[in-house]
């Protein structure tokens, strides 16, 4: 899903299947159906399937409460169940704070690889579950920022 498809910042080279916020419900259904078919051995798991959900924070703030819950549940389902049946997901958004993604808690992202860039890095470090590394990583980030 890419609600920003065609914008001047659109660098994806794969045409999106969905490009509008109301499509989030259809996406959630397709994700869950794919996982269920694979778990039931109705579909081969030999090929890895992944979904790219761009701008999830914007999507979640622009859809109904019911669709938001379904969308969040589908993404969490990929994080928890998808890897068992070769289904994955790349999600992107503008904010590293889980509280800005309705239906998510920080722990929901522990089953995912988290990559934060630029000014989101300090927020992500401060919200990290592992505070033991925060001071050193903030120091490294500051040094790198000054160098660049």
């Amino acid at each position: 899903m890419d609600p920003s498809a065609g914008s001047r910042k659109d660098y994806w080279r794969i045409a999106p299947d969905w490009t509008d916020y109301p499509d989030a419900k259809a996406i959630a259904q397709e994700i869950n159906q794919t996982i269920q078919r694979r778990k039931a051995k109705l579909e081969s798991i030999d090929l890895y399937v992944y979904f790219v959900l761009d701008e999830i924070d914007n999507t979640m703030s622009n859809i109904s409460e019911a669709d938001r819950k379904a969308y969040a549940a589908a993404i969490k389902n990929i994080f928890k169940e998808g890897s068992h049946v070769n289904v994955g997901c790349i999600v992107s958004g503008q904010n590293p704070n889980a509280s800005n993604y309705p239906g998510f808690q920080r722990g929901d992202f522990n089953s995912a690889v988290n990559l934060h860039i630029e000014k989101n890095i300090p927020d992500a470090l401060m919200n990290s579950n592992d505070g033991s590394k925060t001071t050193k990583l903030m120091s490294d980030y500051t040094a790198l920022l000054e160098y660049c």
Side-chain angles (χ1 to χ4, degrees), residues 41-115:
K41 300 190 182 344
L42 299 173
E43 183 177 305
S44 173
I45 64 169
D46 291 339
L47 293 176
Y48 192 84
V49 173
Y50 71 94
F51 294 85
V52 177
L53 305 175
D54 195 12
E55 305 288 352
I56 67 166
D57 47 350
N58 291 338
T59 299
M60 295 184 89
S61 64
N62 282 286
I63 59 179
S64 71
E65 181 69 25
D67 289 351
R68 190 177 303 134
K69 286 180 181 179
Y71 192 65
I75 294 170
K76 289 190 277 188
N77 194 28
I78 286 181
F79 290 168
K80 295 175 183 175
E81 300 288 332
S83 64
H84 297 287
V85 292
N86 274 346
V87 176
C89 189
I90 297 172
V91 297
S92 69
Q94 306 302 320
N95 197 304
N97 300 318
S99 61
N100 288 317
Y101 298 92
F104 285 92
Q105 296 177 353
R106 186 175 5 166
D108 293 324
F109 291 97
N110 287 343
S111 296
V113 173
N114 294 270
L115 174 66

